[in-house]
Structure formats: C-alpha cells, structure tokens
Amino acid sequence: MQTHTLIPHLQSPPLAVQSVSGRITSDGAWLRLRWRIDGPAALVVPPFAGKGRADGLWQTTCFELFLRAPDESAYLELNLSPSERWNAYDFTGYRAGMAERPMPIEPTCSFRVGQAMAIFDAAVPLSALPPRPWHAAMSAVLEEEGGIKSYWALAHQGDRPDFHDPACFVIDVPAPEAP
C-alpha cells in the first residue's frame, strides 16, 4: 500500500494546508481511497448533504480520482465530497465526450478533521469501474477560509491546474492476481 504525495499548483498556493497525500487499495469488492491533509485549521468543509449525485463538487473542498486503461485515451473521473455527494463521468478523450457513468451502488465516504490533520476515506464498488489495470490520478481541491482554493495533484503541467492532463496519471494499479 503505497502513499502518494500530492503537490499544490504554483498558481494557487494553500493558506494553512501543509501537505496532502493519497493512497489506493482494493479488498476484492471495493476500491478504497484515502486522502490525508496536514494543516486543516482553515479548511472549509461542505455541509452534510447525504448521498447522491451532484455536479460542481469541485467548486469547494472535493477529492477526485481519475482512471484510464494503459494505451487508452478514454478515462473515468470520480468526484467525492465530504458532504457525501459524488459524481462519476466517462470521457472519450482529453476533456471530450463527457457522459455520466452509471453507478449501480453509490460510493461511500467519511471525513474526519482533527487539529493537525484530516482524513477523507472513500469506497467505490469495483463492479462499477472499468477492468484493471489502470493508470490513476488522485487530486484534491481544497477551499480554505477567505475563499482561497488550492489544487493538489500528483503532477502539474501548464500555467493552470488541470487534473485531466495525462501527465497526472502516474499511479499504476495492476490487474488483480488470479486466485
């Protein structure tokens, strides 16, 4: 279980957040995701809204996962909010052909905030995801007091944050081992 360090985009530095890391694991039926935020004192947390799809989650604190098969341009984007709202989109190529992805079972998530760190955990049914192997990208939009937003990813290219950039897909998630 490898932990991956996310970095903020240079054009949008955080106020108090010191670091963000993420990891991906699987237990056979669920893909489990964890983001750790160090320095959450000024973090704005969306209020509880209950499970369900919602658009525009990235406009405040939100966690994102991108998956694509090796040698493919199509990919999946998953948005997960501390409010428990979520959404999943399929793209046919870079920011092209966006369509809502069916999710027969809703993802689950929990958010815990302490003085020194916050943890966002999510579980996504593997049955709703494309078959592995994948190249994956983990990212986060963190809103802090005063409307300050920082954009965290495994890699950044260009003058503006762009989580869809193929350069962000740096985690290799292998196919499951045969029993």
Side-chain angles (χ1 to χ4, degrees):
M1 175 171 26
Q2 184 177 1
T3 299
H4 304 278
T5 301
L6 283 67
I7 54 174
H9 193 276
L10 293 175
Q11 298 300 320
S12 57
L15 176 66
V17 172
Q18 299 160 357
S19 66
V20 177
S21 60
R23 70 178 188 220
I24 301 172
T25 60
S26 173
D27 66 7
W30 294 88
L31 185 69
R32 301 209 180 268
L33 309 165
R34 172 170 279 184
W35 286 262
R36 175 184 166 140
I37 301 103
D38 292 312
L43 197 61
V44 173
V45 179
F48 174 76
K51 288 186 181 184
R53 282 189 186 266
D55 289 316
L57 297 173
W58 54 269
Q59 294 177 12
T60 186
T61 298
C62 175
F63 301 88
E64 299 184 4
L65 176 72
F66 293 80
L67 301 173
R68 71 174 168 79
D71 303 320
E72 294 287 330
S73 58
Y75 62 95
L76 169 133
E77 175 185 1
L78 185 64
N79 299 159
L80 302 156
S81 171
S83 71
E84 291 196 18
R85 295 293 171 146
W86 61 274
N87 217 330
Y89 308 96
D90 285 317
F91 290 83
T92 58
Y94 175 73
R95 294 189 174 274
M98 183 174 119
E100 233 177 48
R101 181 177 190 81
M103 293 290 269
I105 302 170
E106 289 189 280
T108 62
C109 58
S110 67
F111 194 60
R112 298 177 306 282
V113 180
Q115 289 184 9
M117 72 174 177
I119 300 288
F120 182 77
D121 284 318
V124 182
L126 282 168
S127 61
L129 301 176
R132 293 180 282 176
W134 302 315
H135 293 307
M138 294 183 82
S139 54
V141 175
L142 299 180
E143 182 177 357
E144 295 181 90
E145 295 169 0
I148 295 171
K149 291 181 188 170
S150 55
Y151 300 87
W152 298 76
L154 299 166
H156 292 285
Q157 300 281 325
D159 296 337
R160 299 178 60 192
D162 184 1
F163 299 155
H164 295 252
D165 190 313
C168 294
F169 290 73
V170 300
I171 302 171
D172 290 324
V173 182
E177 293 183 19

